[in-house]
């Protein structure tokens, strides 16, 4: 699949896919174009889930400091959102 197809499947802008390739996070097969596979999709989804996990942790810290209301409800909602980025058999590492 092309970088545009990869971006659509993961839900990211195409330039993020290109940047991830330049940084060495992804290693697509090279023909005339870069060819991304399912493993690249899963890798980017895991990265997005980790980023969301960091957001959850940051919100939890703010809540523990009393800066926001509804601590349990907010944390639960954020965890549900992070699960949407993963396949049923994947875990946030």
């Amino acid at each position: 699949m092309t970088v545009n197809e990869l971006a659509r499947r993961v839900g990211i802008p195409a330039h993020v896919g290109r940047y991830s390739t330049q940084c060495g996070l992804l290693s697509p097969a090279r023909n005339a174009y870069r060819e991304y596979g399912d493993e690249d999709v899963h890798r980017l989804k895991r990265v997005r889930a980790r980023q969301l996990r960091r957001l959850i942790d940051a919100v939890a810290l703010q809540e523990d400091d009393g800066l926001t209301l509804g601590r349990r409800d907010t944390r639960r909602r954020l965890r549900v959102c992070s699960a949407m980025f993963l396949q049923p058999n994947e875990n946030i590492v």
Side-chain angles (χ1 to χ4, degrees), residues 30-68:
R30 285 219 172 233
N31 298 327
Y33 300 98
R34 294 181 187 111
E35 288 290 324
Y36 296 91
D38 288 336
E39 179 57 36
D40 296 313
V41 171
H42 295 304
R43 180 171 294 167
L44 281 181
K45 284 185 177 184
R46 287 191 301 267
V47 168
R48 287 192 66 200
R50 286 181 189 150
Q51 291 170 338
L52 189 54
R53 183 66 178 188
R54 288 186 187 127
L55 174 63
I56 291 169
D57 292 342
V59 169
L61 285 175
Q62 288 180 349
E63 291 172 346
D64 290 342
D65 291 340
L67 299 176
T68 59

